[in-house]
Amino acid sequence: MNLDNVYKNLTIANNTKLALVVFDGVGDIATASTNWQTPLEVAKTPNLDKLARQSAMGRMIPVAHAITPGSGPGHLSLFGYDPLEVEVGRGVIEALGVGIDLQAGDVAARANFCTLDANGIVTDRRAGRIDTSICEAQCAILAKAIKKIGDVDVLIKAGKGHRFVVVFRGTGLEGPLTNTDPGREGMPIAAATGPAKTAKVVAEFQKLALPLLKDCKPANGFLLRGIAHQPKIETFEERYGLKAACIAVYPMYKGLAQLVGMTKIEGAHSLQEEMEMAVEALKTYDYVFVHVKPTDAAGEDGNFAAKVAAIEEGDAALGTLMAAKPDVLVITGDHSTPVPVKGHSWHPQPVMITGEIAGWDGLERFTERAANLGSLGVFEAKYLIRYMQANAKRLDKFGA
Ligand code: ZN
């Protein structure tokens, strides 16, 4: 028995509206260094408090027990896809991250400039962490000279610092390929091995590109990693019968949402505008995903006060979406980014589901410790969409 098929067979269509608001990395931990409190506990959150008093709460394991996820797998889970089964290569995530509109079958690689000595030995795998402006200038040199290799289009786009992305677009390409990064200094650039046509195109790309960089110091070479093709993924509409839209400011989240067939709605410059666009989108779409980024950045910086401020800003903007009264409204994170950790972590993120039949757990605030007492318990994030469907009365009874 395939559980996804069970859900699919139980899926009912109706006119309900579902909204998912992701405060990126919102989950946190209380330690001595934070006076045994979390940013959610310290923040003043009248809107979240209001929702808490009509919600079911719990905590979610983003990928699997004790695994610290990136935001990519974290979001795939929230969208109901098992991130261990639907593997999206790092090159694909990176390409989405720099805003390349990937097409099915595209092969993408994360690339970074490196330093080579006269014998082609890698002496610095990060080329002294050159400035983004140098990276952009060198990517422009490559992009101008190499547009096509045989029948394959080549797209090159600069990222931050020494990082950039190369996308190969054409028929018959597939990944994954091994890295050209030897993994340590003192070795030459490795050959990428994998499916024959793609490996040949990658090798040809290196042959054409490396001479163009020979006078560039210190970034006279580059390494390719995570070379993978965009996987074919069942869309949101096929899987859940939901027409979905995404409202996010950062390219990677828009990219991930597009990967599962959501329509990206662009143009928001603030959380307030994101929420206004979400309200508008709910008029034509069944499901809307809203991404709130600042919470994660504050956690990464280990800045407690900034994370409190980010939560409060998100809370204020939330009022607009709440006023539109979606049938099911979920507030959560894609993972925890605890201030004491200064990075992502495995700690289950709190989740809150509001809806006519969500039931009130008797909790007054949306915090990690409140969520520990909630009726949803601790569950895998990939089931969140199922709870949303059920709360929207979009899942029929199983069995007589
Ligand atoms: Zn994240």
Side-chain angles (χ1 to χ4, degrees):
M1 181 200 67
N2 178 310
L3 190 54
D4 280 336
N5 284 339
V6 173
Y7 282 116
K8 191 169 270 177
N9 290 334
L10 297 177
T11 298
I12 303 168
N14 62 28
N15 294 324
T16 51
K17 303 290 180 181
L18 296 76
L20 168 69
V21 178
V22 177
F23 284 68
D24 203 300
V26 74
D28 218 293
I29 53 174
T31 66
S33 69
T34 63
N35 204 18
W36 304 109
Q37 287 185 302
T38 71
L40 273 174
E41 288 172 341
V42 171
K44 292 194 173 42
T45 56
N47 282 323
L48 290 172
D49 296 357
K50 201 168 162 188
L51 290 173
R53 287 189 291 268
Q54 43 183 307
S55 290
M57 281 189 218
R59 297 186 70 160
M60 299 193 299
I61 297 170
V63 173
H65 292 277
I67 285 184
T68 295
S71 287
H75 276 83
L76 281 176
S77 262
L78 295 177
F79 300 153
Y81 298 79
D82 187 333
L84 297 174
E85 280 174 25
V86 180
E87 276 192 80
V88 184
R90 283 305 307 256
V92 172
I93 300 256
E94 209 85 351
L96 298 171
V98 297
I100 293 178
D101 258 331
L102 281 187
Q103 300 173 4
D106 283 357
V107 167
R110 339 162 52 185
N112 61 268
F113 287 108
C114 69
T115 308
L116 303 173
D117 72 8
N119 299 315
I121 301 295
V122 179
T123 56
D124 183 344
R125 288 172 57 234
R126 295 179 184 84
R129 294 188 180 276
I130 48 166
D131 270 1
T132 303
S133 58
I134 298 173
C135 180
E136 284 169 353
Q138 294 196 184
C139 282
I141 293 172
L142 297 179
K144 190 162 173 245
I146 310 170
K147 294 190 162 64
K148 241 175 163 25
I149 294 173
D151 62 346
V152 174
D153 292 323
V154 180
L155 290 82
I156 297 164
K157 196 155 178 191
K160 293 237 181 312
H162 56 294
R163 298 187 189 86
F164 65 104
V165 171
V166 185
V167 171
F168 303 100
R169 175 170 294 163
T171 51
L173 298 181
E174 57 177 329
L177 270 70
T178 59
N179 297 339
T180 71
D181 183 352
R184 61 189 173 89
E185 274 114 30
M187 309 264 289
I189 297 174
T193 58
K197 177 173 177 182
T198 317
K200 212 174 135 195
V201 169
V202 170
E204 185 62 24
F205 174 70
Q206 301 214 89
K207 217 171 109 188
L208 294 170
L210 285 171
L212 298 170
L213 301 172
K214 69 178 191 321
D215 296 326
C216 297
K217 278 182 189 154
N220 61 347
F222 63 90
L223 304 170
L224 302 175
R225 292 180 294 152
I227 310 169
H229 64 271
Q230 171 163 334
K232 180 117 190 68
I233 298 179
E234 196 182 25
T235 67
F236 226 71
E237 190 155 11
E238 288 162 353
R239 202 168 155 83
Y240 314 117
L242 294 168
K243 232 175 99 186
C246 145
I247 292 146
V249 174
Y250 284 74
M252 187 176 104
Y253 308 96
K254 290 189 269 193
L256 281 164
Q258 276 180 286
L259 203 61
V260 299
M262 292 188 200
T263 303
K264 64 175 173 187
I265 295 174
E266 307 207 75
H269 298 98
S270 65
L271 294 182
Q272 183 57 38
E273 282 179 20
E274 282 192 65
M275 296 299 172
E276 284 163 15
M277 285 181 168
V279 170
E280 202 49 41
L282 279 176
K283 291 176 186 161
T284 33
Y285 293 87
D286 307 310
Y287 174 107
V288 63
F289 151 60
V290 186
H291 183 253
V292 176
K293 179 67 180 171
T295 31
D296 181 59
E300 296 258 8
D301 292 343
N303 189 334
F304 193 96
K307 194 160 176 185
V308 169
I311 290 167
E312 291 181 346
E313 190 195 346
D315 179 83
L318 205 51
T320 305
L321 180 57
M322 287 162 63
K325 292 192 182 359
D327 297 284
V328 178
L329 173 58
V330 169
I331 313 290
T332 189
D334 53 336
H335 52 76
S336 296
T337 308
V339 169
V341 175
K342 290 190 179 179
H344 295 190
S345 78
W346 64 89
H347 301 89
Q349 66 266 38
V351 59
M352 169 161 76
I353 303 179
T354 312
E356 189 194 343
I357 53 168
W360 180 41
D361 286 342
L363 300 163
E364 302 282 344
R365 296 203 65 215
F366 177 60
T367 66
E368 295 81 356
R369 275 183 277 216
N372 288 343
L373 305 173
S375 59
L376 300 172
V378 182
F379 64 99
E380 290 175 71
K382 66 179 180 185
Y383 292 109
L384 175 65
I385 183 73
R386 304 306 184 183
Y387 280 117
M388 293 179 75
Q389 289 177 285
N391 273 282
K393 301 176 191 171
R394 283 173 177 267
L395 286 182
D396 203 355
K397 182 163 65 178
F398 176 70

